[in-house]
Amino acid sequence: MGLNRRTAMKAGLLTTAMSALRLNSAHPQGTSAPPPITVQGEAAVRTNIPVVRDRRASGGSYLALNSKKQPPKEGWYATYTVRAPEAGVYALTAVATAPVETPHTEATASYLQLALNDGQFVEIARSQPYWYESKPAWGGLSVLDLGELELRRGENTLTFRVTEPTVLETGTAYALALDRFTLRRREGVELREVHAGGDGTLGTYRYGEPANLTFTLNGHPDHPYRLRYTVVDYLEERVAEGYATIEPGDGTTVKAPLPQLPPGNYRVAASAADASDAEAVVGHFACLSALPATSSDANRFGVNVWATSLVPPSRLDAFAAAMRDMGAGWIRDGQAWSAAEPASGAYDTEHHDRITRTMRHHGLSPLEVMSPAPEWAMTTASLPLPADLRHAYRYARRLASRHPAAVQLSNEPDVDVTSSTGDAHAAFVKAAALGIADTPDRPLVVLPGIAQAGHFQDLLLANDVVRYADVWAFHGYPDPAEQDEPAFPGAAEEQRELAGRLGASEVPRWMTECGAFFGVRPGIDLTPAQQAVQARYLVRSTVEGLAAGNTRQFWFAGPPLHDDGVYFGLLSREFQPLPAYSACAALTSLLGEAHFAGPVSGLPAGAIGFEFDSARGELVRVLWAAKPVRIPVPGATVYDVMGRRAETDGGAVTVSRDPVYVVAPGGDSTRPVHAPRRILSPAEHIVLSQRYAARNAAPNKDNGDAEPPLGYRLSRRTRMSLDVYNFTSTSTSRMVTVNAPRPAGGWSARAEGPTRVEVPPQGRKTVPFTIAAGSGVKRRTDHRLAFTATLDGDEVPPSVSLVQLK
């Protein structure tokens, strides 16, 4: 990646790479700090970024970069001269656009790089929570905390640079808006970061490897800086402590060797030797089992990453390695369709393709999620889908050609805030699936991630979409009110029963989102108590999901992620591993291929257990209990929730809320045989899609909370159309016979043109219909309207909608 990971861990570490100058002493007693230094964005001494006038800007103008052109050799840059009244550490803030969306604006910018004087450029690689919590300034600009710089007295040169694009509504571009920046003098030097583990990682290393603690100041001390530190494990037991000193002239960092620690998650607190505990800087690190998770196609564990939005470019390589080391075999990601195809047939995917290649390089299998269609492809009536399904076919084929392992055909369409219906999404799914099927060495086709079982999914499935997919997908979250010990939702069992009723039990089921809601205050990670709950829930939910028949399960989410007061990530806001990360690493290491063998019987009241075959000649029981109980484990090896070997007492182990793993010889390592993929027939290449005017749109889904009737709202007589698509990849036209529907409940349908139509390859023909409601049709009551067709005597998958008399 080119940057030392310790240098990139926090914006406050800019001093390490940017300055070789020593810091003056703190201000003498009775003196005050110099006034802040504010520089207008348009006051650059050298820049190739345009200046735009705007009365809202503090100086009436600001720097405004928005370019699709590749940057020049030196990048898009702006260089400023800053005169410091005294040498020292200065806090840097800026009124500018953030690189991620914030609650007050969707405007985003490229990640910034900074260079001070003759120092190297370093990316401001802060995590999403830092940017998300930024206060609004004006327009799409925010007040950004960019860390600290160590200035010399007198003239300094500060350069802002952009070399990476960002994702905008109309495509990828190099973007930055900078109104002004301010430097405020800080007193003395302070400890800014504690990092542990192997060099070049996000605070992880494997058991048996050497590891150090690294302490970094925000500037160079002019007298010995002595600090103290303590390290505690997951159980809050102290496992290491000591002192370290940074001498003048030795730079801004010092290392202390870690003792040999067992696998687990550790928290280190460090502060100046004479400071209070309240001033301590906290870091996290993980010692991972020496036995890695399986890296074969049998790996059942995934994680949501959304790397474009949540992972700074300079961290991508280390992040991918951390997810692999955690035992994830799969990552779930996606790019904005509007950015990937800003105009019909004009693709701009290199930015996201690089993420896919990086994940692949680290042995991760990407699950690519299709996003809503770009504005140019939609109409008011089709939102959020393309009005012409040929756009879905072509875009899905393009996605499949970029070598993801699987493509998911939308995310939670049942709980968005549009009026889209299950039948419309079904037609979209069929068209996209056919585009993927026409790709050489095609990836797996994954059905949309359904947020909750209900009317939308029922209608989607009634349109016979399962035959087009390799994987059935859904999501499952506990009640957000359950903050102490969330219960695994019933989604997995619901979906298993639903698949069974449809005769689709053999279709692999993936829970493509699974996580829990933990409330946090701005600027704060999860508390130690919350971290423990998150770790327990990750293990228990994954185990219960696999026991319910899920073939794969994806945690939401891997990177630091703060959204509307809720924290989801397995990494801290400093990109360091939280206990749930280590719990996941232990789970994936010990369960191996995780073939579910059955529930554990004969347990004491309140205890729960599930047994798995690891495919390594071992049977692994995962046990937990609401209250501590003793359970016999004769002849077995026991590991705690962090993967540390646990002691047994008299052949028994105490089981509590923290799951334990009981490993014993046994099992059958024979892998299941995967069924070959079906070849779709010519009739299955014909897609029927009902099309109504915007005035007949179904009610808004109200984020999934709307109650029936949910069908298209029709008058007594309504004109509509049935689109007939031929997604045959050959040069053969198809003669399709459309059958006029015979709806019940007093409805009727009459074709207003020929119902036998010749559809060219990759073409579309439209058959107009009039739908009429008889005098006995009740208002605001849903009725099914099913269109069918045949191709050479073979049945075409139907288009089934709901209609109501408004």
Side-chain angles (χ1 to χ4, degrees):
M1 181 168 55
L3 284 180
N4 182 290
R5 192 68 61 243
R6 288 173 297 148
T7 303
M9 281 299 296
K10 188 176 181 182
L13 300 185
L14 288 168
T15 54
T16 304
M18 291 183 173
S19 176
L21 297 172
R22 295 185 57 183
L23 177 65
N24 280 359
S25 301
H27 300 108
Q29 188 172 3
T31 64
S32 60
I37 304 167
T38 296
V39 180
Q40 300 300 326
E42 66 272 21
V45 294
R46 294 185 303 277
T47 185
N48 56 10
I49 299 176
V51 173
V52 174
R53 295 187 62 81
D54 194 307
R55 288 180 296 178
R56 296 173 296 177
S58 62
S61 300
Y62 68 103
L63 285 190
L65 172 66
N66 188 336
S67 176
K68 296 183 180 296
K69 296 180 180 179
Q70 287 291 323
K73 183 178 181 181
E74 64 273 21
W76 300 109
Y77 75 95
T79 299
Y80 300 87
T81 297
V82 176
R83 185 168 295 279
E86 57 184 54
V89 176
Y90 288 75
L92 174 63
T93 59
V95 173
T97 37
V100 303
E101 291 185 8
T102 64
H104 54 271
T105 179
E106 296 180 357
T108 59
S110 300
Y111 277 89
L112 266 176
Q113 298 175 351
L114 292 183
L116 178 63
N117 298 324
D118 297 325
Q120 297 178 348
F121 279 98
V122 177
E123 183 179 84
I124 308 298
R126 290 193 145 179
S127 64
Q128 181 264 0
Y130 278 107
W131 308 115
Y132 183 86
E133 295 161 2
S134 300
K135 295 181 179 179
W138 59 268
L141 282 68
S142 306
V143 181
L144 305 180
D145 179 357
L146 300 183
E148 295 172 326
L149 301 174
E150 191 175 16
L151 302 183
R152 61 195 177 197
R153 183 177 181 181
E155 187 173 286
N156 294 263
T157 300
L158 177 60
T159 301
F160 295 80
R161 185 175 74 168
V162 166
T163 62
E164 293 280 350
T166 189
V167 177
L168 304 177
E169 285 293 327
T170 57
T172 57
Y174 300 87
L176 171 67
L178 175 61
D179 181 8
R180 65 185 185 274
F181 63 89
T182 300
L183 292 152
R184 291 178 174 84
R185 178 73 163 92
R186 299 293 302 270
E187 284 285 339
V189 295
E190 296 177 349
L191 185 63
R192 274 294 171 242
E193 189 215 21
V194 180
H195 178 68
D199 290 344
T201 72
L202 300 185
T204 66
Y205 65 100
R206 290 211 174 272
Y207 177 71
E209 296 177 350
N212 297 295
L213 293 173
T214 302
F215 308 94
T216 304
L217 304 180
N218 62 358
H220 292 72
D222 63 353
H223 56 80
Y225 188 100
R226 192 164 186 256
L227 58 89
R228 60 188 173 93
Y229 64 89
T230 58
V231 180
V232 299
D233 65 10
Y234 173 74
L235 298 176
E236 299 293 327
E237 295 180 357
R238 185 172 297 185
V239 297
E241 59 185 336
Y243 291 85
T245 302
I246 302 176
E247 299 287 350
D250 286 351
T252 59
T253 65
V254 65
K255 292 185 177 182
L258 278 168
Q260 179 99 308
L261 297 173
N265 192 269
Y266 299 90
R267 187 173 76 249
V268 54
S271 62
D274 57 355
S276 68
D277 291 341
E279 299 175 79
V281 174
V282 176
H284 302 265
F285 66 94
C287 176
L288 306 176
S289 168
L291 177 66
T294 179
S295 58
S296 69
D297 290 341
N299 186 293
R300 298 181 184 274
F301 310 102
V303 62
N304 285 263
V305 300
W306 307 112
T308 299
S309 300
L310 301 177
V311 182
S314 65
R315 293 191 188 273
L316 182 61
D317 196 69
F319 173 81
M323 295 299 101
R324 174 206 62 204
D325 291 343
M326 186 184 72
W330 288 73
I331 59 99
R332 183 170 180 255
D333 205 345
Q335 62 183 319
W337 185 351
S338 58
E341 192 180 9
S344 180
Y347 295 105
D348 178 14
T349 63
E350 176 54 32
H351 181 61
H352 188 76
D353 292 345
R354 185 173 60 182
I355 293 174
T356 301
R357 291 194 298 268
T358 300
M359 298 299 174
R360 283 287 200 185
H361 174 74
H362 286 281
L364 297 165
S365 298
L367 168 58
E368 178 78 22
V369 182
M370 288 186 69
S371 72
E375 187 174 346
W376 58 260
M378 293 188 294
T379 64
T380 303
S382 74
L383 183 80
L385 304 172
D388 187 333
L389 295 181
R390 288 172 291 187
H391 295 309
Y393 173 93
R394 289 190 286 264
Y395 180 62
R397 187 172 60 184
R398 169 73 182 196
L399 281 184
S401 72
R402 314 320 285 174
H403 309 297
V407 178
Q408 188 166 31
L409 305 179
S410 76
N411 179 62
E412 298 190 349
D414 54 323
V415 295
D416 65 25
V417 291
T418 72
S419 299
S420 59
T421 58
D423 64 289
H425 271 271
F428 166 81
V429 165
K430 295 171 186 177
L434 289 165
I436 296 169
D438 286 346
T439 307
D441 301 320
R442 72 168 179 87
L444 297 173
V445 175
V446 183
L447 288 176
I450 294 296
Q452 56 196 37
H455 306 289
F456 186 96
Q457 187 185 22
D458 290 344
L459 189 56
L460 179 77
L461 296 172
N463 280 266
D464 207 359
V465 296
V466 176
R467 68 169 72 192
Y468 289 86
D470 303 298
V471 176
W472 179 302
F474 62 98
H475 298 165
Y477 289 91
D479 186 339
E482 296 178 355
Q483 291 285 303
D484 294 333
E485 293 296 331
F488 185 61
E493 290 289 354
E494 290 175 354
Q495 296 295 321
R496 178 168 67 177
E497 293 173 3
L498 181 57
R501 291 199 300 270
L502 293 179
S505 296
E506 299 304 313
V507 179
R509 293 184 302 280
W510 293 7
M511 182 179 273
T512 52
E513 284 187 24
C514 173
F517 303 88
F518 294 104
V520 295
R521 298 194 309 273
I524 300 176
D525 279 325
L526 299 176
T527 65
Q530 288 176 310
Q531 292 171 22
V533 174
Q534 185 192 41
R536 289 194 288 269
Y537 183 77
L538 183 145
V539 174
R540 297 190 322 214
S541 64
T542 303
V543 166
E544 291 192 63
L546 295 176
N550 296 345
T551 306
R552 286 196 172 90
Q553 197 147 322
F554 293 72
W555 179 263
F556 188 90
L561 175 57
H562 182 194
D563 183 24
D564 196 21
V566 177
Y567 196 88
F568 293 99
L570 298 178
L571 303 178
S572 74
R573 62 180 51 231
E574 305 300 341
F575 276 95
Q576 296 177 347
L578 295 173
Y581 174 96
S582 297
C584 186
L587 172 80
T588 59
S589 170
L590 291 166
L591 288 193
E593 293 188 7
H595 301 291
F596 180 57
V600 179
S601 59
L603 295 175
I608 299 173
F610 300 91
E611 188 170 68
F612 294 86
D613 185 341
S614 70
R616 294 191 294 243
E618 299 169 332
L619 287 174
V620 184
R621 293 183 171 186
V622 189
L623 308 173
W624 65 85
K627 295 181 179 179
V629 294
R630 298 276 291 169
I631 296 179
V633 289
T637 304
V638 180
Y639 298 87
D640 69 11
V641 68
M642 294 288 115
R644 176 176 59 181
R645 187 164 178 173
E647 296 295 331
T648 57
D649 181 11
V653 65
T654 299
V655 176
S656 65
R657 292 183 301 173
D658 284 336
V660 299
Y661 303 88
V662 180
V663 182
D668 179 4
S669 61
T670 303
R671 294 182 181 178
V673 176
H674 297 285
R677 298 178 182 178
R678 289 184 61 248
I679 302 299
L680 295 171
S681 69
E684 290 169 320
H685 280 74
I686 305 299
V687 175
L688 307 179
S689 178
Q690 300 179 42
R691 185 152 47 93
Y692 296 82
R695 63 179 176 273
N696 301 123
N700 189 292
K701 292 192 289 289
D702 191 23
N703 206 27
D705 293 329
E707 294 294 330
L710 300 172
Y712 297 106
R713 291 174 288 195
L714 308 187
S715 304
R716 286 288 177 183
R717 294 176 60 83
T718 303
R719 295 292 298 269
M720 54 82 65
S721 300
L722 182 73
D723 289 336
V724 184
Y725 292 89
N726 174 15
F727 287 113
T728 306
S729 58
T730 66
S731 58
T732 306
S733 294
R734 301 293 188 185
M735 190 65 72
V736 179
T737 301
V738 174
N739 303 314
R742 296 179 178 178
W747 290 90
S748 63
R750 184 181 74 247
E752 302 295 343
T755 56
R756 182 172 171 81
V757 292
E758 183 177 3
V759 190
Q762 300 298 309
R764 176 181 69 178
K765 287 294 179 71
T766 299
V767 180
F769 279 86
T770 296
I771 311 299
S775 59
V777 173
K778 295 181 180 180
R779 295 185 184 275
R780 295 182 53 76
T781 302
D782 282 330
H783 290 272
R784 285 201 171 192
L785 181 63
F787 285 88
T788 60
T790 56
L791 173 66
D792 299 329
D794 292 333
E795 293 290 332
V796 171
S799 172
V800 182
S801 70
L802 295 176
V803 296
Q804 60 168 300
L805 180 62
K806 61 182 178 182

